[in-house]
Amino acid sequence: MKKANEAALSDLSRKILSDIKQNRGEATTPRILDAALAELGGVESVGRLIADGYRKASGNLKPEEIAQGAKANASLEHRYAELLARISIKNDERESGDFSGLNEEDLRNTLIALVRELVAENDEFRRLAVMEGIKSQPDLIHEAMNLAGMPVSEGSVEDTPHLPEPEFESEASDA
């Protein structure tokens, strides 16, 4: 079991380092956390792992754990308690919306993550972001259209060939 855990941790570490190298200049912490949580079975599963570790460290052992020689560990119990307290504090900070304690980089990374989430999930925000981007930098429309698989010609409107206006015979000449 120990070797399996070490192998899984090693694989996860390699994956994280690879992701970091590929995404220079981009906030990687949210992606690292997502990858770690996915590898460990999701948020609920990680919560159960933490609770189980705390339970064991505090000496609240099951008979089979006692039979295997497990013992309470006050130092480890303290670390689990600190982890739970930090998670709780971070959650409270996130819920309160107080960003005064964040440095500029942390605030920027938090806002980028929020914007990405809003763009992915909110139609009106996505539309607003695109329109504001195009107003600020009009040439983005070409990049966006190409990305959408609808390439825009590089010529100007004046360079575009026009078909001559159709000539219709007047009704007077039909009579």
Side-chain angles (χ1 to χ4, degrees):
M1 180 73 162
K2 184 177 179 181
K3 285 185 180 183
N5 285 340
E6 287 174 1
L9 183 58
S10 178
D11 288 345
L12 182 60
S13 297
R14 275 194 300 276
K15 188 175 184 181
I16 289 170
L17 287 174
S18 172
D19 283 351
I20 289 172
K21 287 177 185 176
Q22 290 177 1
N23 298 300
R24 297 203 185 274
E26 221 178 276
T28 57
T29 305
R31 294 180 60 211
I32 291 170
L33 181 60
D34 289 345
L37 290 174
E39 190 73 25
L40 294 170
V43 174
E44 290 80 15
S45 182
V46 171
R48 286 190 295 275
L49 286 171
I50 293 170
D52 192 50
Y54 180 79
R55 179 189 57 76
K56 289 175 184 175
S58 67
N60 184 4
L61 301 167
K62 296 176 182 175
E64 60 271 12
E65 293 167 338
I66 294 171
Q68 293 173 349
K71 297 178 184 172
N73 182 331
S75 174
L76 190 55
E77 178 185 8
H78 180 71
R79 286 184 180 170
Y80 273 110
E82 283 180 334
L83 174 63
L84 290 169
R86 281 196 315 265
I87 291 170
S88 177
I89 289 168
K90 285 293 185 187
N91 187 60
D92 288 350
E93 287 173 357
R94 186 175 52 84
E95 293 292 325
S96 72
D98 179 17
F99 298 107
S100 61
L102 295 177
N103 64 32
E104 188 175 329
E105 182 181 354
D106 289 341
L107 179 60
R108 181 180 178 276
N109 291 340
T110 300
L111 291 173
I112 286 171
L114 176 61
V115 167
R116 283 184 175 151
E117 184 178 320
L118 284 169
V119 166
E121 296 176 3
N122 185 302
D123 293 340
E124 183 57 28
F125 186 86
R126 182 172 38 252
R127 186 186 152 295
L128 177 66
V130 168
M131 294 305 144
E132 288 298 320
I134 291 171
K135 273 198 274 183
S136 298
Q137 188 179 344
D139 64 314
L140 282 177
I141 196 162
H142 294 286
E143 187 176 338
M145 294 296 286
N146 286 330
L147 185 64
M150 301 163 52
V152 177
S153 70
E154 294 296 322
S156 67
V157 174
E158 293 82 30
D159 296 339
T160 306
H162 295 281
L163 295 175
E165 293 292 324
E167 294 181 23
F168 295 103
E169 293 181 29
S170 68
E171 290 180 23
S173 63
D174 289 342

